[in-house]
Every structure is written in C-alpha cells, then in structure tokens.
Amino acid sequence: YLVKVQLTPEEILKKVRNLFIHRGLDMPAQSAPSSISLEGKKILWAEDDDFLSDLIAQRLAKEKIILVNSSKGKEVVNLAEKETPDMIMLDILMPDLDGVEILARLKANEKTKRIPVIMFSNLDDKSKTEESRKLGAVGFFLKSSVNLDEIVNEIKIAISNS
C-alpha cells in the first residue's frame, strides 16, 4: 500500500510502474506518431477524484494542453457544448450521473456528437466497456493499469483519428 500524502505524484507513479514491471505486467501499447503535437488542444476531463485530476493536470500541462475539468457529471454536456473540446476523457463513475449516460447524451447532441470520447474507470466492468463502445467511445482504460504517458498516447491516437 501507499500513503499518498507522504509521496509526490512522481514517486507514486514510479512505485506503481516498478510493481507492474516486477510482476511482468508492463505491456507495450499502441504508439501514437511522435509528430503529433497536443499543444493548444482542449481536453475536457470529467473526473471527481481531486488527486487524480491534479496528476493529470500536471502531466497534460507538459504537453501544453488546455484542460477543462469537471467533477460533476451533470455539467459535462453543457461544458462540452460551451468549450467545444478536441476530446473528452470521461470517468464512468461520477457522483451525480453515470458516465455511460453522459456519453449517450453527448453522442445524441448535434453539437457534441463528433467529439472523440475515451472512457475510464476503476472497475473492470466488461458490460460498461461494451456499452461505451456501442455508444461511440473511441477508447477505454482502467485507471489502475495505465500510466500518465499511456494516457497522453491514447489522447494523441484519438485526436489523430478524429
């Protein structure tokens, strides 16, 4: 276990990465072309965990991404309409509205239906993953099995394919 208040985000990532490597779980992911720049791209990140949001904000700032964050599921569709992000990262478990329902609303909305959406969760729920893909999500990852560089890579892939 880790006591997160005693570690920096970088130390936590290093420890988790080492755990995966020692257990043989470090698997290569599809790589985005290195020529893709995310500078100036706007990402709407819907996540209610402040610690994870701070980690993501720090990492995406290195890519010069404009980050719009929401911790409330009910405001995601309105934010997407208002901000017109280049992509949306959407947590399935939000406190006031399920991420799959938010995805359905985004894809039914003329203003937001073409925005690529990557879903993520702490739970490995195959039915939610399948439902998300059917609704039009371009990707899905488990928070516990991905690192920040892989998230950036997935963003690059999604944006390059949109």
Side-chain angles (χ1 to χ4, degrees):
Y1 68 91
L2 300 172
V3 180
K4 67 183 179 183
V5 294
Q6 295 177 343
L7 299 171
T8 68
E10 291 79 18
E11 290 171 324
I12 291 171
L13 289 173
K14 183 178 179 182
K15 288 180 181 293
V16 171
R17 209 174 281 123
N18 285 339
L19 177 66
F20 278 103
I21 290 169
H22 291 305
R23 294 198 177 178
L25 299 173
D26 195 12
M27 297 183 289
Q30 177 185 358
S31 291
S34 59
S35 62
I36 294 174
S37 170
L38 295 176
E39 185 174 350
K41 298 291 185 187
K42 189 183 292 186
I43 306 293
L44 172 55
W45 181 270
E47 167 62 62
D48 61 316
D49 181 306
D50 291 336
F51 179 73
L52 183 58
S53 292
D54 289 344
L55 281 176
I56 292 297
Q58 289 175 29
R59 178 59 179 90
L60 296 184
K62 291 179 183 177
E63 300 291 327
K64 299 181 180 166
I65 290 172
I66 301 165
L67 185 64
V68 178
N69 182 264
S70 174
S71 62
K72 295 180 174 67
K74 289 183 178 178
E75 74 181 12
V76 172
V77 176
N78 291 336
L79 269 174
E81 286 180 356
K82 178 183 168 195
E83 297 289 337
T84 318
D86 294 291
M87 100 161 304
I88 299 169
M89 303 290 292
L90 180 58
D91 189 2
I92 287 182
L93 297 176
M94 296 291 285
D96 56 353
L97 190 61
D98 180 76
V100 176
E101 176 59 30
I102 297 167
L103 177 63
R105 292 180 186 187
L106 288 165
K107 294 305 179 180
N109 184 322
E110 192 61 38
K111 292 181 179 179
T112 59
K113 70 181 183 182
R114 289 177 193 79
I115 301 171
V117 178
I118 294 177
M119 306 292 288
F120 58 93
S121 180
N122 277 326
L123 305 175
D124 189 6
D125 185 337
K126 301 289 185 214
S127 65
K128 294 281 188 186
T129 304
E130 186 61 31
E131 188 176 1
S132 297
R133 291 201 189 278
K134 284 180 183 175
L135 287 170
V138 298
F140 184 91
F141 65 84
L142 290 173
K143 294 177 192 178
S144 62
S145 64
V146 69
N147 66 46
L148 295 174
D149 290 334
E150 291 169 331
I151 292 171
V152 169
N153 187 56
E154 289 299 316
I155 291 170
K156 286 181 177 184
I157 291 168
I159 287 177
S160 70
N161 291 334
S162 65

